[in-house]
Amino acid sequence: AQSVTQLDSHVSVSEGTPVLLRCNYSSSYSPSLFWYVQHPNKGLQLLLKYTSAATLVKGINGFEAEFKKSETSFHLTKPSAHMSDAAEYFCVVSPINAGNMLTFGGGTRLMVKP
Amino acid sequence: DAGVTQSPTHLIKTRGQQVTLRCSPKSGHDTVSWYQQALGQGPQFIFQYYEEEERQRGNFPDRFSGHQFPNYSSELNVNALLLGDSALYLCASSLWGSSGSYEQYFGPGTRLTVT
């Protein structure tokens, strides 16, 4: 069984300040972990993924995430927020060797103030 | 190279009716998964098709059924619609046998409203 908890349903930051979106996971298998972004009226886009290689993962648009097994966390960060980052973000877990069914967290809505 | 496409984009149905949603996978992909995203929530896995058979299923009732065609495209059917079936239905494609680390590509979704 696997599950994902996104600790904040809404996060608000000012443009140019750091972004932190928190995610904790639970998985019976060694997991793959992903962050997806969903802009209004658009499909889900992959930001980055962890697949048991380097624990610090770099993604698109300046985002990165760190896999911490001891804390079962996979938090998403960005040093400086841009207005275009405003969107819904989903943390996702998938069993690395048991099919590829994705389990999504509830989502975090990121708001960026000018 | 077309990505994942879905049709229709929007649909309005009445309680008790039946609906069919369609998905064409990304070129080169042979596996299609369907997800339901209720308003304000994360997507939930419905089922996955490969070689025209359902391979995995999430916690959804039998009212939800699907089909995959020889060209890998897929349909999602929902019978006896309930108000609670109102949601964005997302289709994702991937390669069968790929590990959980393989990226799934999502379509833009079909917005279903049940009145």
Side-chain angles (χ1 to χ4, degrees):
Chain A
Q2 51 195 23
S3 65
V4 178
T5 302
Q6 293 184 241
L7 300 170
D8 306 291
S9 59
H10 294 80
V11 169
S12 181
V13 301
S14 296
E15 191 174 23
T17 64
V19 175
L20 170 63
L21 305 184
R22 300 182 295 165
C23 171
N24 287 117
Y25 71 92
S26 170
S27 178
S28 303
Y29 301 92
S30 295
S32 289
L33 293 159
F34 307 82
W35 277 96
Y36 279 85
V37 61
Q38 187 175 40
H39 290 274
N41 301 316
K42 292 193 176 180
L44 288 159
Q45 181 185 18
L46 180 68
L47 277 179
L48 51 80
K49 65 180 179 182
Y50 165 77
T51 59
S52 77
T55 57
L56 183 62
V57 182
K58 293 188 184 299
I60 61 171
N61 301 333
F63 285 95
E64 63 181 39
E66 186 172 9
F67 173 71
K68 292 187 176 180
K69 186 175 181 179
S70 60
E71 299 176 9
T72 60
S73 69
F74 190 58
H75 302 333
L76 181 70
T77 60
K78 183 174 181 177
S80 176
H82 191 273
M83 294 297 291
S84 61
D85 294 329
E88 189 86 18
Y89 291 79
F90 293 98
C91 183
V92 181
V93 65
S94 179
I96 200 166
N97 288 318
N100 56 8
M101 182 186 88
L102 301 180
T103 299
F104 284 76
T108 298
R109 180 162 296 279
L110 176 65
M111 295 166 283
V112 182
K113 298 175 291 187
Chain B
D1 176 26
V4 180
T5 60
Q6 293 186 244
S7 63
T9 54
H10 296 84
L11 204 51
I12 300 175
K13 290 286 188 178
T14 304
R15 275 177 299 176
Q17 286 188 318
Q18 179 264 345
V19 68
T20 297
L21 311 181
R22 295 176 177 83
C23 171
S24 291
K26 178 180 168 63
S27 177
H29 284 179
D30 56 11
T31 302
V32 173
S33 302
W34 286 92
Y35 293 81
Q36 180 196 64
Q37 185 178 16
L39 197 61
Q41 297 182 23
Q44 285 193 292
F45 176 76
I46 303 175
F47 44 51
Q48 182 180 77
Y49 275 82
Y50 169 69
E51 285 191 337
E52 304 178 46
E53 289 188 15
E54 183 182 294
R55 301 293 178 161
Q56 295 187 81
R57 189 179 183 92
N59 188 26
F60 279 80
D62 292 345
R63 298 187 298 109
F64 289 77
S65 64
H67 188 77
Q68 187 180 34
F69 299 93
N71 67 353
Y72 309 123
S73 66
S74 176
E75 289 182 348
L76 164 65
N77 301 293
V78 187
N79 294 322
L81 284 167
L82 304 174
L83 295 178
D85 295 332
S86 295
L88 180 68
Y89 288 86
L90 295 165
C91 169
S93 74
S94 59
L95 276 174
W96 181 255
S98 56
S99 71
S101 62
Y102 189 84
E103 178 182 353
Q104 294 192 36
Y105 290 79
F106 283 84
T110 293
R111 173 74 62 187
L112 173 65
T113 302
V114 182
T115 62

